[in-house]
Amino acid sequence: MTSAIILGTGSYTPKKVVTNDDLSKIVDTSDEWIQTRTGIRERRFAEEDEATSDMALQAAERAINHARIAKESIDLIIVATMTPDMPFPSTACLLQTKLGLPCIPAFDVQAACSGFIYTLNIANNMIRSGQYKTVLVVGAEKTSSILDFEDRTTCVLFGDGASAVILSSSEESSVGLLHTDSGADGEHPEILCQPAGGSAMPATTDSVSNRQHFLKMNGKEIFKKAVRVMGQSCINSLEACHLTSDDITLVIPHQANMRIIESLAKRLEISLDKFHNNLDLYGNTSAASIGIALDEAVQAGRIKKGDLILLVAFGAGLTWGSQILRW
Ligand code: UT7
């Protein structure tokens, strides 16, 4: 049976480094508070004229080079983002043109911070069905475009960046993406959302002056739910593959908060050494975060053929998911 394997990874983070001290000049916060509560030391912010699709292009080109494929062999592009260049057309279509790949299908997936896992799952199934052979999967975010720099409870948490993988069909059935467990709970959209700019609250002078176009989050509620749901999702994926925590070589969790990651490690009884984290450098880059960490781990030689990798995410929706890959 056909499987889907990652042929290459790529990532991109903007040049501009913004430290906790830099933010403490804008809002009432401190390096000490941010580091102790989250583990973040700094993040990258894109330039004003650098959109999500521009960052996606950089990450995609790196993944294509790393995969050593001709870009023309890509037959589908899927971009996970909650900060598209514009509501429509999709960022995937804009990326398709920037890459110079006319006519191939391209669309976006909106699953916030779980976007990378949702998108890999879609690409995997499209390859396994036989319809596509080589899919470019991208997670890209310009979160700084929706951050409220008057709200210290959110603006210190997020960063910008992009990541990409080339997912390709393989006849080797025991490798590649082995399993995805995913879920969503739309009961309380308000605990993490961008209220305005859609059909429920179109842009008006009021929506702008009331700061409704910015990201809003109830961090405490998200935190509680994240710890519980991420752990359970990982256990579901391990059970579905008849594996135990001991079999996992490396965990790549969504990079939102070091305390969430530590709780997850405890719940799964997997040593923190087996987690690849870069939250300190990039903050929460939403849909880009798992792919950036994955690319870093690959480039650092932390992943070898045959290794079992566990990916896990949680985000707005609420959405969540975990995935097991054999490299
Ligand atoms: O990507 C997926 C979605 N996002 C997440 O996974 C985020 C999940 N949540 C979290 O990471 C944490 O809940 C936060 C880091 C957002 C907050 O940490 P916390 O330990 O839950 O803090 P808190 O919200 O309970 O706030 C504690 C105190 C409050 O002051 P009072 O009411 O105790 O006087 C806040 O006003 O810390 C205050 N505070 C700050 N102080 C300095 C909140 N933000 C800041 C800040 N600097 N940036």
Side-chain angles (χ1 to χ4, degrees), residues 28-30 33-34 37-38 113 152-153 156-157 192 217 219-220 222-223 254 256-257 259-260 284 314-315:
D28 180 16
T29 190
S30 65
W33 191 95
I34 301 172
R37 298 287 178 130
T38 71
C113 300
R152 68 175 182 172
T153 69
V156 303
L157 304 173
L192 180 47
M217 181 169 78
K220 257 199 176 5
I222 295 278
F223 192 106
H254 171 50
N257 186 315
R259 290 184 294 140
I260 294 178
N284 181 348
F314 183 86

Side-chain angles (χ1 to χ4, degrees), residues 82-121:
M82 63 171 195
T83 49
D85 288 25
M86 53 187 95
F88 64 88
S90 69
T91 299
C93 284
L94 304 173
L95 176 63
Q96 184 234 46
T97 288
K98 288 180 181 181
L99 277 169
L101 291 174
C103 297
I104 63 166
F107 63 93
D108 286 359
V109 169
Q110 219 298 27
C113 300
S114 311
F116 200 78
I117 282 181
Y118 267 56
T119 306
L120 264 185
N121 187 33

Side-chain angles (χ1 to χ4, degrees), residues 66-89:
H66 184 227
R68 296 169 194 242
I69 57 161
K71 66 178 180 183
E72 290 72 20
S73 63
I74 295 169
D75 47 18
L76 172 68
I77 299 173
I78 319 179
V79 174
T81 188
M82 63 171 195
T83 49
D85 288 25
M86 53 187 95
F88 64 88

Side-chain angles (χ1 to χ4, degrees), residues 32-249:
E32 202 265 331
W33 191 95
I34 301 172
Q35 284 214 44
T36 358
R37 298 287 178 130
T38 71
I40 300 166
R41 283 195 290 127
E42 57 191 44
R43 72 285 295 138
R44 306 290 181 97
F45 284 163
E47 297 300 326
E48 242 169 69
D49 62 354
E50 192 174 28
T52 297
S53 66
D54 298 314
M55 293 187 281
L57 175 65
Q58 299 292 329
E61 286 180 336
R62 289 170 195 188
I64 292 165
N65 285 339
H66 184 227
R68 296 169 194 242
I69 57 161
K71 66 178 180 183
E72 290 72 20
S73 63
I74 295 169
D75 47 18
L76 172 68
I77 299 173
I78 319 179
V79 174
T81 188
M82 63 171 195
T83 49
D85 288 25
M86 53 187 95
F88 64 88
S90 69
T91 299
C93 284
L94 304 173
L95 176 63
Q96 184 234 46
T97 288
K98 288 180 181 181
L99 277 169
L101 291 174
C103 297
I104 63 166
F107 63 93
D108 286 359
V109 169
Q110 219 298 27
C113 300
S114 311
F116 200 78
I117 282 181
Y118 267 56
T119 306
L120 264 185
N121 187 33
I122 294 166
N124 178 49
N125 285 306
M126 286 181 139
I127 288 172
R128 280 169 168 261
S129 76
Q131 195 180 1
Y132 298 98
K133 285 200 160 19
T134 307
V135 182
L136 169 61
V137 169
V138 175
E141 301 281 13
K142 186 173 178 179
T143 66
S144 61
S145 65
I146 57 164
L147 289 177
D148 184 347
F149 289 97
E150 291 185 7
D151 176 10
R152 68 175 182 172
T153 69
T154 53
C155 74
V156 303
L157 304 173
F158 295 88
D160 299 340
S163 57
V165 299
I166 301 291
L167 199 69
S168 185
S169 63
S170 162
E171 293 314 313
E172 234 186 301
S173 62
S174 59
V175 295
L177 211 164
L178 304 183
H179 184 78
T180 301
D181 174 81
S182 59
D185 176 2
E187 192 76 20
H188 295 289
E190 71 287 351
I191 68 174
L192 180 47
C193 67
Q194 181 186 352
S199 57
M201 195 189 293
T204 59
T205 46
D206 277 353
S207 71
V208 172
S209 59
N210 293 330
R211 311 187 80 73
Q212 295 299 307
H213 293 266
F214 293 124
L215 178 152
K216 313 277 179 198
M217 181 169 78
N218 177 337
K220 257 199 176 5
E221 283 307 309
I222 295 278
F223 192 106
K224 279 191 277 182
K225 185 108 182 170
V227 169
R228 193 154 33 88
V229 175
M230 285 168 97
Q232 190 55 51
S233 182
C234 289
I235 288 164
N236 295 348
S237 284
L238 288 168
E239 284 179 0
C241 296
H242 307 291
L243 296 168
T244 69
S245 294
D246 291 342
D247 297 313
I248 298 298
T249 326

